[in-house]
Amino acid sequence: MSTLTEQTHHSLIAGEPAPGTGGTTQAVDPARNTPTGPTFTLLGDGQVAAAPRAAAEAFPTYRKLTPEARAAFLETAAERIDRAGEEIIATAMRETGLPEPRLRGEVGRTVNQLRLFAGVCRAGDHHGVRIEPALPDRKPLPRPDLRQRKLPLGPVAVFGASNFPLAFSVAGGDTASALAAGCPVVFKAHNAHPATSLLVGQAMSAAVAEHDLHPGVFSLVFGPGNAVGQELVADPRIKAVGFTGSRSGGTALMATAATRREPIPVYAEMSSVNPVFVLPSAAAGDREALAEGFVTSLNGSAGQLCTAPGLLFVPEGADGDDLAARIAEKLSAADGTTMLTPGICSSRIEGEKKLAALDGVTEVGRGGAGPKENAPAPAVYSTGLETFTATPELSDEIFGAVCLIVRYGSADQLPSAANGLEGQLTVTLQTGTGADRDADAGSDTASENRVVQELLDALELRAGRVLFNGWPTGVDVGDAMVHGGPYPATSDGRSTSVGAAAIERFLRPVVYQNAPGPLQPAPVREDNPWNLGRRVEGTYVAADGRGQSPAEKGEHMAEGDSA
Ligand code: NAP
């Protein structure tokens, strides 16, 4: 049974409904172009301040929770979202046009992310403890007792994207990592999926209440990003921002955060065209599999994935021609599916028109429009490498299933083309079996292997994830994942928004010098009450107390050294 039985719903500030004075909104079912679901009031001028105020009140106690208490809270949130899964999926299908299997997968991912961060809390590596006991007899100067650990930054404002209504939304990766770090969260709901947002927000607030936490640990606010969102980021009680969405939205928030009296970090995941380089040996290989893999990756979720391949570098000549022809053939059998909002659909159509009108750009192939509203045909265009390098607009993201094939004459041209690219979430090398072969095997292989190495040297400086012989869509959420990259993929390429390491964004180090034992916080205390792995006198000591030298841990090795 639906929990959203009322006709009108409101923001949820510190667990309580907060009627807004800024008008109302209702979601649009993009498959039918009709309004759907209840009405939501939007916060008016000054109203959003109640959420950061409550978050700031919650921070002193929330940040001091034990690892176990914080982990248990995150697990309850996961459990509650899981239990509400069927209603969340049905609601999100109406609000986003995304198909059920995709949304079912996203509920699973959201729940698993919360559980992943519960595990991160328990493992405790993020406390980053480093201890150097006092050396009173050290010459020429004694050393003080130094104990470093990492602290949460404070309340975090989080903005989610329309294309991940669950995994990058109310209880998505940014929220989970901020809460795991010890930061209360104020989430600015995306106006494209308000009912989905409220259902998840209710689950979050119920988990807060179930664990007797201060209700300000989590708030959900409705309102236009360029008013309520801006006001939230300008609020002096907010200490960091997590954002996933458009380049224009992300840069607008960066500007606000940078011009505050106290500037704060903004971790914004924005735009990426995810170039894929098909090397000559790959083009000489299984072109049918390449064409199939590419079209599936391009057209999945109507191309509305931040990792969708928007640029495909293909060699000139017979192999490249045949690959392009196979892509056109597969594409002709592919239908468009409903996009997230009518606005996103019209931007995508405009983007394609602009691309098609550029000199030197020709259409390779297209699919069919989908049977429902807002479902344009997937399309692929082509240009030459010279035109591509001379036309910066050709590297712009078109959010949707549109890709540009760039034909190159010689693989030797690729490293310099790669050097001209903007920052990306992903780059992919299709090397076929070329890069696995012995460099001495033959001159063609040796020369391609050299190019692949040069390309890799250029690309690893431009992306958060480098893939070999695969397709960039589909992000594995785990300990080692990086979903980030240099600007404009993200506003700060030093971190990741997906995976366990995302917690680092919401922490900062502090060192206690000569702190008396009773005043030392638990992570750095001599008796190690939280049983954390810690670095003592430069040597990592595992949680079970066993000392390991840096060499045993495999640390401090230069790239290329063997273990
Ligand atoms: P969006 O329009 O930027 O919206 C994201 C959120 O930011 C919404 O809550 C929006 O509020 C708010 N917002 C927009 N402009 C703002 C401004 N000037 N000031 C303050 N807040 C603002 O993005 P979207 O349409 O949801 O998502 C599509 C885009 O996201 C695509 O370009 C895609 O590539 C990118 N994306 C990137 C990643 C990644 O990881 N890099 C992942 C997914 C999507 P309203 O609700 O009022 O619009």
Side-chain angles (χ1 to χ4, degrees):
M1 198 182 75
S2 171
T3 49
L4 300 189
T5 48
E6 305 292 327
Q7 287 303 302
T8 303
H9 290 273
H10 311 289
S11 297
L12 203 51
I13 297 187
E16 295 296 326
T21 59
T24 60
T25 190
Q26 190 181 14
V28 170
D29 176 349
R32 293 174 186 78
N33 273 342
T34 52
T36 181
T39 299
F40 292 81
T41 64
L42 303 172
L43 296 181
D45 275 358
Q47 284 192 296
V48 77
R53 189 181 311 125
E57 285 165 13
F59 183 52
T61 47
Y62 184 64
R63 79 178 181 86
K64 290 201 168 179
L65 285 188
T66 62
E68 182 52 39
R70 207 175 289 159
F73 158 56
L74 293 174
E75 284 170 343
T76 299
E79 174 62 29
R80 284 184 171 272
I81 292 168
D82 208 15
R83 264 192 266 149
E86 294 307 318
E87 184 182 4
I88 291 171
I89 291 166
T91 306
M93 282 171 70
R94 283 193 298 276
E95 290 189 329
T96 65
L98 292 170
E100 184 191 329
R102 157 70 202 274
L103 290 165
R104 200 165 284 287
E106 244 194 277
V107 169
R109 174 170 165 180
T110 306
V111 162
N112 287 340
Q113 281 175 166
L114 287 161
R115 291 184 176 140
L116 171 79
F117 281 104
V120 168
C121 289
R122 289 197 178 98
D125 291 345
H126 63 283
H127 292 285
V129 178
R130 293 163 181 263
I131 296 175
E132 289 186 315
L135 294 177
D137 299 328
R138 191 181 68 173
K139 301 286 182 241
L141 290 171
R143 184 176 75 187
D145 181 85
L146 294 169
R147 290 163 191 269
Q148 184 191 123
R149 60 118 162 204
K150 289 184 178 165
L151 278 173
L153 296 179
V156 174
V158 179
F159 296 70
S162 52
N163 62 343
F164 277 89
L166 298 157
F168 277 92
S169 191
V170 179
D174 285 356
T175 298
S177 53
L179 289 172
C183 302
V185 166
V186 180
F187 190 90
K188 207 302 269 169
H190 200 296
N191 290 330
H193 52 263
T196 308
S197 298
L198 186 58
L199 288 170
V200 178
Q202 287 173 337
M204 293 300 293
S205 289
V208 170
E210 188 176 326
H211 285 260
D212 276 333
L213 303 179
H214 188 293
V217 165
F218 177 81
S219 290
L220 173 70
V221 298
F222 292 103
N226 58 11
V228 166
Q230 290 287 347
E231 217 182 299
L232 179 62
V233 170
D235 190 292
R237 290 160 290 211
I238 294 294
K239 300 300 180 192
V241 180
F243 171 93
T244 308
S246 63
R247 189 161 170 174
S248 59
T251 51
L253 291 173
M254 285 164 67
T256 302
T259 49
R260 291 170 28 136
R261 188 180 169 90
E262 178 198 357
I264 52 171
V266 176
Y267 301 103
E269 312 295 331
M270 301 177 287
S271 71
S272 179
V273 289
N274 307 299
V276 177
F277 293 83
V278 180
L279 273 296
S281 68
D286 189 348
R287 291 186 289 278
E288 186 64 10
L290 279 178
E292 180 74 37
F294 166 71
V295 171
T296 304
S297 184
L298 173 69
N299 201 32
S301 296
Q304 301 164 119
L305 296 175
C306 41
T307 51
L311 283 179
L312 185 70
F313 290 82
V314 171
E316 289 170 0
D319 288 345
D321 290 347
D322 182 63
L323 176 59
R326 285 171 195 260
I327 286 173
E329 188 196 317
K330 306 255 170 246
L331 205 59
S332 67
D335 279 343
T337 44
T338 295
M339 298 192 76
L340 294 154
T341 67
I344 286 178
C345 181
S346 54
S347 300
R348 176 245 181 262
I349 290 169
E350 282 312 304
E352 184 185 343
K353 273 189 198 154
K354 259 203 236 162
L355 173 67
L358 289 171
D359 282 344
V361 173
T362 54
E363 185 177 306
V364 170
R366 63 194 307 108
K372 297 192 177 154
E373 297 292 333
N374 299 306
V380 173
Y381 291 82
S382 175
T383 196
L385 185 59
E386 239 171 66
T387 307
F388 175 75
T389 45
T391 321
E393 303 95 284
L394 289 174
S395 300
D396 289 350
E397 180 191 37
I398 299 174
F399 190 56
V402 181
C403 178
L404 180 67
I405 294 180
V406 180
R407 304 294 300 268
Y408 62 87
S410 156
D412 287 330
Q413 298 170 291
L414 293 178
S416 93
N419 276 321
L421 291 170
E422 289 191 309
Q424 306 290 339
L425 291 170
T426 73
V427 290
T428 302
L429 290 164
Q430 293 285 357
T431 60
T433 52
D436 296 338
R437 290 203 298 263
D438 185 346
D440 298 330
S443 62
D444 283 356
T445 305
S447 138
E448 188 168 306
N449 286 354
R450 176 186 50 74
V451 167
V452 169
Q453 184 62 56
E454 279 177 38
L455 250 183
L456 179 57
D457 290 347
L459 292 174
E460 68 187 2
L461 297 177
R462 276 167 186 73
R465 181 160 58 111
V466 184
L467 293 91
F468 295 86
N469 298 323
W471 297 99
T473 45
V475 180
D476 199 84
V477 182
D479 202 47
M481 182 45 72
V482 173
H483 188 67
Y487 187 89
T490 70
S491 55
D492 187 337
R494 290 170 297 179
S495 60
T496 173
S497 67
V498 173
I503 195 170
E504 295 294 334
R505 297 171 302 161
F506 302 117
L507 299 166
R508 71 168 178 86
V510 60
V511 66
Y512 305 86
Q513 184 167 329
N514 291 335
L519 288 180
Q520 291 169 3
V524 300
R525 256 175 38 199
E526 213 50 39
D527 58 348
N528 195 5
W530 290 357
N531 195 29
L532 301 175
R534 316 193 291 187
R535 187 171 287 279
V536 180
E537 292 278 24
T539 298
Y540 184 78
V541 181
D544 62 6
R546 191 171 60 86
Q548 285 179 301
S549 72
E552 282 176 285
K553 284 281 291 174
E555 293 169 5
H556 302 320
M557 289 194 307
E559 283 178 72
D561 284 358
S562 56

